């Protein structure tokens, strides 16, 4: 006798999600909750920028905000998923509601998909930690800034490309084909973690190259003396 699949709104429609319960938060409430959390992180970032060791350029201020918002998302939201992936579909918490909403764009978040669990675990621990180190490096004017920024951005770009590519290789079977979920959730909500890390990788590579060039020239002058 075939297993009875509990009804759910996710794709593919025959994927079993045995613990699924409907979220209490609607779409608008989910976005308001997430937006409020991001706003708090931006306010905290602004307070820390005001206490920076040296005056920061507009670009560096924006990078601090980006890194601290990323740290919050990686460590708290993605960390929550990593610890609760097995029962996430049936949990009655705000963060479970947020994941159930996002899962319209990728049902793998509700099925303990091995790649997704491993990728999000690495993102929570590695990307989140190094995002904090990057923000510290900028605020403290520390040489650790660009190595940390490069590692964080490489990990974010690599993880996001793999995440989106695996869904593509499966013909986007895990994504609700409605334009709002496909383009609005799956594409637009992931695009920042491709565009911004790419820019920051180039930025760090240029800075590290310039620093190494100055050090190399200084060494050459010292040897000539």
């Amino acid at each position: 006798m075939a297993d009875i699949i509990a009804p759910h709104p996710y794709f593919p429609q025959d994927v079993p999600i045995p613990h699924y319960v409907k979220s209490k938060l609607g779409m608008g409430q989910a976005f308001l909750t997430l937006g409020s959390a991001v706003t708090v992180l931006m306010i905290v970032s602004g307070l820390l920028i005001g206490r920076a060791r040296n005056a920061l350029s507009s670009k560096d201020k924006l990078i601090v905000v980006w890194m601290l918002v990323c740290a919050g998302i990686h460590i708290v939201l993605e960390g929550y998923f990593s610890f609760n992936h097995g029962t996430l579909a049936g949990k009655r918490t705000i963060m479970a509601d947020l994941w159930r909403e996002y899962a319209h764009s990728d049902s793998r978040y509700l099925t303990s998909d091995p790649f997704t669990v491993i990728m999000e675990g690495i993102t929570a621990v590695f990307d989140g930690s190094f995002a904090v180190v990057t923000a510290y490096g900028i605020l403290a004017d520390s040489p650790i800034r660009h190595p940390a920024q490069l590692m964080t951005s490489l990990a974010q770009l690599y993880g996001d490309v793999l995440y989106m590519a695996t869904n593509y290789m499966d013909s986007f079977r895990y994504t609700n084909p409605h334009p709002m979920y496909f383009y609005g959730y799956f594409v637009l909500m992931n695009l920042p973690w491709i565009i911004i890390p790419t820019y920051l990788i180039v930025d760090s590579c240029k800075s590290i190259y310039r620093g190494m060039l100055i050090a190399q020239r200084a060494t050459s002058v010292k040897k000539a003396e």
Side-chain angles (χ1 to χ4, degrees), residues 56-57 59-61 63-64 67 126 130-156 196-212 214:
L56 301 181
S57 66
K59 182 185 81 172
D60 283 350
K61 289 177 182 178
I63 296 174
V64 169
M67 287 296 173
F126 183 89
F130 274 91
V132 173
V133 174
T134 302
Y136 165 80
I138 297 172
L139 294 170
D141 195 21
S142 168
I144 196 63
R145 178 259 177 92
H146 280 293
Q149 179 175 302
L150 181 59
M151 287 189 286
T152 305
S153 301
L154 276 171
Q156 289 176 329
I196 297 175
T198 299
Y199 169 79
L200 295 178
I201 288 167
V202 174
D203 178 60
S204 287
C205 285
K206 286 181 178 179
S207 294
I208 291 171
Y209 174 80
R210 285 194 295 266
M212 293 300 296
I214 292 170

Side-chain angles (χ1 to χ4, degrees), residues 122-203:
I122 292 172
T123 300
V125 175
F126 183 89
D127 299 21
S129 299
F130 274 91
V132 173
V133 174
T134 302
Y136 165 80
I138 297 172
L139 294 170
D141 195 21
S142 168
I144 196 63
R145 178 259 177 92
H146 280 293
Q149 179 175 302
L150 181 59
M151 287 189 286
T152 305
S153 301
L154 276 171
Q156 289 176 329
L157 178 62
Y158 183 71
D160 207 30
V161 168
L162 279 181
Y163 163 69
M164 298 184 78
T166 50
N167 199 6
Y168 165 77
M169 292 298 291
D170 278 331
S171 302
F172 301 110
R173 65 190 301 264
Y174 308 107
T175 303
N176 187 321
H178 190 286
M180 178 178 64
Y181 295 124
F182 184 84
Y183 294 106
Y185 284 24
F186 184 72
V187 176
L188 290 181
M189 291 182 74
N190 284 287
L191 208 55
W193 279 273
I194 291 179
I195 296 173
I196 297 175
T198 299
Y199 169 79
L200 295 178
I201 288 167
V202 174
D203 178 60

Side-chain angles (χ1 to χ4, degrees), residues 9-24:
Y10 304 103
F11 282 73
Q13 293 176 318
D14 60 351
V15 65
I17 308 178
H19 305 295
Y20 172 72
V21 295
K22 188 175 180 180
S23 297
K24 290 183 178 180

